Amino acid sequence: MQFQWYPGHMTKAKRAMQEDLKLIDVIVELVDARVPLSSKNPDIDQMANGKSRVILLNKYDLADDKKTQMWMEYYEGKGYFVTKVNSKNGTGVKAVQDIIRQACQEKIERDRKRGILNRPVRAMIVGIPNVGKSTFINSFAKKACTKTGNKPGVTKGKQWIRLNKNVELLDTPGILWPKFEDQKTGLRLAYIGSIKDELFNIYELSLLLLEYLHGYYPGAVSSFYQIEKEEDCAKQLELIAIRRGCMKAGGLYDVDKAAKCLVDDFRAGKLGKISLETPESV
Ligand code: G4P
């Protein structure tokens, strides 16, 4: 399957983000816990330019707990401050304040030595589309009390969400673009819905997803749909079509509709807590 992706329209977003990066101390990067590497845009590393770095494994409610743990250790080993969050229901969100402080500890110390006390550290959320940036910011803001408002001269036009007296968060996230040089990464981004569905063939995508699920989470599909387990992925999809009543005129199975069902159910976590990559597969 071939993917095409033109990040041309991201140029503007990138420029805006570079401006915002000048205002902050720490980059808080959201990745999808089901694909913590594929959903990470490596270009942020050049743009980060010595800033403190935090990685949040968002949507961990949808990911395999064991694999999430492996990924946390993997990124910690690479020098990031890491935690997992469920932005949708708020689990783990409050703890992010402490992680941000920890990530900025050196800077806080430096400031202290120069006599700058009680200056809040400033953070910005970045991530590829659909990874949960807005949901996270809303959840974070709810836990915080007030918005500090504009700060003329220094942060013209910017809104900062004051989390506590120590941490402020820029209320607009930096949007990174999905980046993939190999087909596997592209596929994983498609499975989680970070690439527009129009860019790929949903039938082929669903067959590849079924193949992966049969290999790594055997039984997940058959038990959710209450159907026979079928090694042949095309036949498995037909069984899903029957179960879901996806039929076309003339009594034919509507496998495209079944494929969409499968992908949607996977994205919504209905097939179970499933991860699509491990640090070992890197
Ligand atoms: P973005 O700003 O990075 O583009 O992402 P956004 O917050 O819009 O979130 C994209 C989708 O991911 C939303 O679902 C949102 O609810 C969901 N989401 C965000 N964080 C989590 C999480 O930790 N766990 C789970 N399970 N889902 C999460 P949606 O279907 O587009 O909207 P909605 O129907 O949920 O409102």
Side-chain angles (χ1 to χ4, degrees):
M1 193 169 9
Q2 291 295 315
F3 290 103
Q4 287 188 312
W5 175 256
Y6 302 109
H9 68 283
M10 292 306 306
T11 316
K12 210 171 141 206
K14 186 175 176 181
R15 220 174 289 135
M17 181 158 50
Q18 272 164 335
E19 283 306 305
D20 286 342
L21 286 175
K22 292 181 191 159
L23 307 173
I24 54 131
D25 306 302
V26 50
I27 298 175
V28 180
E29 191 175 355
L30 255 76
V31 296
D32 188 305
R34 294 166 294 177
V35 282
L37 190 75
S38 295
S39 60
K40 193 171 177 333
N41 179 323
D43 294 350
I44 187 70
D45 294 340
Q46 286 111 53
M47 293 162 80
N49 202 11
K51 306 266 179 202
S52 305
R53 304 287 296 275
V54 170
I55 288 194
L56 303 182
L57 294 158
N58 192 38
K59 308 196 186 185
Y60 86 89
D61 52 305
L62 303 177
D64 186 323
D65 288 324
K66 263 196 209 139
K67 291 181 182 164
T68 299
Q69 188 55 37
M70 287 161 83
W71 279 110
M72 287 176 67
E73 287 160 19
Y74 172 84
Y75 280 125
E76 276 160 7
K78 296 212 170 284
Y80 292 94
F81 288 79
V82 189
T83 190
K84 58 181 182 182
V85 286
N86 172 349
S87 301
K88 206 164 172 170
N89 76 2
T91 311
V93 169
K94 200 162 191 298
V96 176
Q97 299 185 20
D98 290 335
I99 299 276
I100 290 176
R101 284 288 289 179
Q102 283 168 31
C104 294
Q105 208 48 50
E106 269 180 34
K107 187 192 158 40
I108 293 166
E109 271 306 301
R110 265 201 320 272
D111 280 355
R112 199 180 55 80
K113 285 191 185 133
R114 288 159 54 204
I116 305 168
L117 298 174
N118 302 326
R119 179 187 161 286
V121 293
R122 289 190 153 172
M124 178 183 176
I125 304 296
V126 304
I128 66 169
N130 207 39
V131 81
K133 298 178 295 301
S134 314
T135 313
F136 175 79
I137 290 175
N138 284 338
S139 171
F140 216 12
K142 244 185 249 151
K143 301 210 184 286
C145 331
T146 49
K147 287 196 172 189
T148 58
N150 290 352
K151 299 232 166 118
V154 189
T155 58
K156 212 164 146 216
K158 297 286 170 199
Q159 290 282 327
W160 295 90
I161 299 163
R162 172 161 282 187
L163 301 171
N164 53 39
K165 65 181 178 17
N166 298 319
V167 182
E168 289 181 357
L169 181 73
L170 193 60
D171 81 344
T172 37
I175 302 167
L176 295 166
W177 53 100
K179 186 167 184 183
F180 50 91
E181 266 136 25
D182 60 82
Q183 205 197 25
K184 266 193 184 153
T185 309
L187 267 178
R188 289 168 185 163
L189 289 170
Y191 293 152
I192 63 159
S194 271
I195 303 177
K196 277 196 195 130
D197 283 357
E198 299 83 65
L199 289 179
F200 49 81
N201 177 308
I202 189 83
Y203 176 71
E204 285 180 41
L205 187 77
S206 71
L207 293 187
L208 291 166
L209 179 60
L210 279 174
E211 197 179 308
Y212 176 84
L213 294 173
H214 279 327
Y216 289 89
Y217 296 91
V221 171
S222 51
S223 75
F224 175 68
Y225 292 105
Q226 300 281 296
I227 51 178
E228 285 296 304
K229 196 164 152 222
E230 173 58 76
E231 292 305 321
D232 180 328
C233 296
K235 286 199 181 132
Q236 185 80 91
L237 196 61
E238 281 182 11
L239 293 181
I240 295 173
I242 295 168
R243 166 63 71 190
R244 282 298 169 94
C246 305
M247 306 301 282
K248 284 200 262 202
L252 294 170
Y253 305 126
D254 190 343
V255 283
D256 285 339
K257 200 167 167 194
K260 176 95 176 64
C261 256
L262 173 75
V263 171
D264 284 348
D265 289 337
F266 166 75
R267 287 177 183 162
K270 292 182 185 165
L271 307 180
K273 284 165 79 70
I274 290 169
S275 294
L276 298 171
E277 58 193 12
T278 58
E280 293 145 12
S281 65
V282 173

